[in-house]
Amino acid sequence: EGWQLPGSMTIGGAQSLLKGSGTIAGKAIVIAGTGPFLLATAAGLVKAGANVVAVIEAKSFTAMSKYPRAVIAARGKLFQAINYLATLRKARVKLISNAHVVKAHSTHGSVSSVDVQTSRGIKNIHCDTVATGWGFIPQLELATALGLATRQSADGVLVVDVDDNQISSNPRLWAVGETTGVAGSDVALAEGFIAGSSAAQSAGHNSIDVSRWKTLRNRLHTFANYLPLAYPIPAKWPAEISDSTMLCRCEEVTAGDVRQAIVEFGAEDARSAKLFSRVGMGWCQGRMCSRACSDVIAYELGQSVTDSELSGSAKRPIATPITLGMLADWRPSETL
């Protein structure tokens, strides 16, 4: 509750501000959610001079240690995590495990503190910025518009289905990076080498030996596939949000509105809920809320989110929202 307030953003948003423009998100920052990305972002902010008040992990900061195969497959990431922790401890950042933010409070219209559910009850932490992260959802607008086959990855999100050479269901299209599953820059680079070699060969050029890149890709994907096991999103999270919690901020649709669409109008999926409540019909075209809406509906109905529903929510009329004025002024000879 309160995630739509000024001062609340995704962890990726806080990192993008820092890397893109050297801007620190706030004066007192709380990082919350689950997964290694929390530590990486918090450490980066601390090194840039930010005041990170606390890092709140829903599981354990050492959850990956339960999966030695994954740790061995990505030994370098283990040392990275140790360095991140050392940086945060040196800066005396509070590291709170097995806890999660349940509400953001506001003063004068923006975040002023957050309530954190811990094993010892609710703890209130003062901050002006809260950055949360519960995994990644790739942007597949272009892939779905081109009709490429998709599948659910190990963390339950939709990705482009590719073969060993990164070739999609269309033999003239290759897919790499986040579209095939978010697994880090090292994997994306390896996939790029593999796809580039395959594309060159398809055009009649000599291919290069990419066996080492395939080995690296497969090894790091092993690590990525264990992340959802070590840092799962709580299956019953929809039960914890109140009816007043905003699901779709573009159209100001609450969780209660979606639940009402299920009870009173018989909504059975995100598409029918959209028709009855306008959830996902705003500026972002459901980019920010469609998965949350699908999860809430599936939980209320005792079902699982299907591949077809994920595929449907990933399809948007245009890849990046633009104004009608831009379309009206566009001339075919110009670059849009």
Side-chain angles (χ1 to χ4, degrees), residues 25 42 100 210 300:
H100 61 279
V210 293
E300 296 293 335

Side-chain angles (χ1 to χ4, degrees), residues 192-221:
F193 276 104
I194 297 166
S197 175
S198 175
Q201 187 176 24
S202 74
H205 300 285
N206 294 328
S207 62
I208 61 173
D209 182 11
V210 293
S211 57
R212 72 186 184 98
W213 294 111
K214 288 185 176 181
T215 299
L216 176 63
R217 176 198 62 188
N218 296 341
R219 180 163 58 82
L220 293 181
H221 264 302

Side-chain angles (χ1 to χ4, degrees), residues 2-9 25 28-30 109-112 127-131:
W3 70 273
Q4 77 279 8
L5 291 169
S8 175
M9 62 183 65
I29 306 170
V30 167
S110 61
V111 172
S112 58
C127 61
D128 65 358
T129 303
V130 54

